[in-house]
Amino acid sequence: MRLASTRDSRLHVVVDDVAVDVTDALDLPTGPGGPLLTFLERGGNLGAISALDLDTLPSRPLAALDLDAPIARPGKIVGAPVNYLDHKAEMGEQRTIADYGVFLKASSSVIGPGADVRLPYRDVRTDQEGELAVVIGRTASRVPVAEALDHVFGYAPLLDITVRSGEDRSTRKSFDTFTPFGPWVTTADEVGDPGELELRCWVGGELRQETSTRELVYDVAELVAYTSHVMTLFPGDVIATGTPAGVGPIKPGQRIVVEISRLGRLEVGVSDEGAIDYDARPGPR
Ligand code: MN
């Protein structure tokens, strides 16, 4: 099942080219996190949606939806540094996620399909990182690897936008608009093995990244288990699983596309509106 949220805070089941509005049927109030987060926080699961008679609910063409990120403000966004060996090589890294652990991105950095990534600095490189996102469906604390996937609700394409400056990852990756996510969440039952997905990412029409999630250093189950050993994962939390080789600078006016097999295609723009020189950032030095 594919679940899409819109800017007016409504939740839709996407069936081919049609979107069925399940917001009222599930009695989902509007809120800043979006209707899917509300649904998951309440303990909602696939069965609750499958039980609906979609034929009796209002529907629209998918193309008519004003899509937002499927979860506009997750409780937390966990990131996975150096989780593909080809990216380790291109960055000249000596270490991997096994040494670094995970990091956090601000939940305020999320945008949805069609929105613009805003570059914060005119004179510091900002890169795209195409990634597979995992959406947690059940609270996970210290879960073993063998049980980890039972806690996953679904998956989506995601971009982990990153400034290449000297600050900690949480700063460089947390600017507003730095976590494009969507176009929808595909539930885990439809995805099957998350270790067999093909990921491609284009910038300005150029194919920059191409990998299989088979190449992950920590695969999805290991990443969920490891993260849950550090922090409790709640329904609606998002884990960005890391990026393969091919990261590179993004420029105003470019389009970024990340496509993952079985999950769909996320496209956003790039803008330099409000960008400043790095030396003009606040704070004494
Ligand atoms: Mn990343």
Side-chain angles (χ1 to χ4, degrees), residues 19 48 66 98 133 141 148 151 155 157-158 181 212 219 252 255 258 262 272:
D66 186 11
S141 175
H151 297 77
Y155 302 92
L158 178 148
F181 171 41
S212 164
D219 65 20
R255 308 294 294 174
V258 56
R262 288 181 255 172
D272 61 356

Side-chain angles (χ1 to χ4, degrees), residues 34-214:
L36 182 54
L37 181 61
T38 305
F39 175 73
L40 293 172
E41 283 178 333
R42 278 193 196 161
N45 55 32
L46 189 56
I49 302 178
S50 302
L52 300 174
D53 183 0
L54 297 183
D55 293 338
T56 64
L57 299 177
S59 66
R60 279 188 288 170
L62 173 60
L65 294 190
D66 186 11
L67 288 172
D68 199 352
I71 297 177
R73 199 188 295 176
K76 57 182 168 291
I77 306 168
V78 176
V82 201
N83 201 20
Y84 286 92
L85 293 181
D86 59 354
H87 179 59
K88 172 175 180 271
E90 78 173 344
M91 299 306 284
E93 280 278 2
Q94 301 304 309
R95 299 185 283 179
T96 70
I97 184 170
D99 310 293
Y100 285 121
V102 293
F103 63 89
L104 291 170
K105 298 190 75 164
S107 60
S108 44
S109 64
V110 170
I111 58 171
D116 279 349
V117 171
R118 285 198 316 272
L119 304 175
Y121 301 124
R122 294 186 195 104
D123 52 352
V124 180
R125 176 173 152 180
T126 297
D127 289 358
Q128 104 290 346
E129 296 188 353
E131 307 198 3
L132 167 70
V134 176
V135 177
I136 297 297
R138 283 175 48 206
T139 298
S141 175
R142 299 182 184 179
V143 298
V145 173
E147 293 169 21
L149 294 183
D150 299 342
H151 297 77
V152 173
F153 180 73
Y155 302 92
L158 178 148
L159 286 157
D160 174 21
I161 305 294
T162 304
V163 172
R164 298 287 173 213
S165 52
E167 293 92 340
D168 280 349
R169 283 189 173 82
S170 66
T171 297
R172 295 187 289 109
K173 294 167 173 284
S174 283
F175 289 87
D176 287 2
T177 74
F178 269 29
T179 311
F181 171 41
W184 43 67
V185 169
T186 302
T187 52
D189 61 300
E190 281 197 11
V191 175
D193 182 354
E196 294 290 340
L197 301 175
E198 307 301 318
L199 180 155
R200 289 181 186 80
C201 182
W202 293 261
V203 176
E206 168 206 2
L207 179 62
R208 286 192 180 175
Q209 298 186 278
E210 185 168 20
T211 196
S212 164
T213 52
R214 229 174 289 128

Side-chain angles (χ1 to χ4, degrees), residues 274-285:
I276 61 170
D277 290 339
Y278 187 61
D279 278 347
R281 70 194 187 282
R285 283 179 289 281

